[in-house]
Amino acid sequence: MMLIKQIEHLEKIDKLIRERRTGTPDEFAQKVGISRRQLYNYLDELRSYGVDVCYSRICQSFGYKNNRRLRVYFNCEEIEKSKGTQFAGGYHLFASKFYLPSFCNI
């Protein structure tokens, strides 16, 4: 899934920036497993959320300038059949079949 991959990239970017172990932009992109252009797209996205990321040529690393960072996580858990009727849409995998809320009379 693209979303999960993007979250993994953001987690790795955040970790390397916090530890000030990014290296040069090319090294940073390589450590994350993305292109340099993609790296700058992610950094621009962080900046749009008010996270000030800057690069130090002396340290050869990116860092957080304003002590703000973006915390990103993804949680996936199994839903009990009895609680499945509490959802108003979508579908949920239950017992190898698609489980639809009770109001979906299909």
Side-chain angles (χ1 to χ4, degrees):
M1 262 182 127
M2 289 290 295
L3 175 63
I4 293 172
K5 197 57 144 172
Q6 289 173 337
I7 291 170
E8 289 171 351
H9 288 157
L10 284 169
E11 287 174 337
K12 183 114 186 194
I13 288 168
D14 174 63
K15 181 178 188 278
L16 291 168
I17 291 174
R18 279 186 292 113
E19 295 173 354
R20 293 197 176 257
R21 296 186 313 116
T22 66
T24 65
D26 288 328
E27 292 168 340
F28 191 14
Q30 187 176 21
K31 288 177 183 180
V32 178
I34 57 179
S35 71
R36 183 178 167 148
R37 180 70 258 157
Q38 288 174 304
L39 172 66
Y40 280 107
N41 287 341
Y42 278 112
L43 295 178
D44 288 342
E45 188 71 23
L46 289 174
R47 288 181 185 111
S48 75
Y49 292 114
V51 180
D52 197 2
V53 180
C54 60
Y55 181 72
S56 168
R57 288 185 178 152
I58 295 169
C59 298
Q60 287 196 342
S61 182
F62 284 86
Y64 292 119
K65 188 174 181 181
N66 59 2
N67 292 325
R68 270 183 96 174
R69 58 180 278 240
L70 183 66
R71 182 167 292 165
V72 179
Y73 64 92
F74 181 78
N75 184 17
C76 184
E77 58 187 65
E78 187 174 340
I79 300 170
E80 296 175 28
K81 185 175 182 177
S82 63
K83 292 184 180 181
T85 57
Q86 297 173 1
F87 292 93
Y91 59 88
H92 306 282
L93 194 59
F94 183 79
S96 300
K97 295 181 181 176
F98 288 114
Y99 177 75
L100 297 174
S102 59
F103 63 83
C104 296
N105 297 321
I106 297 177

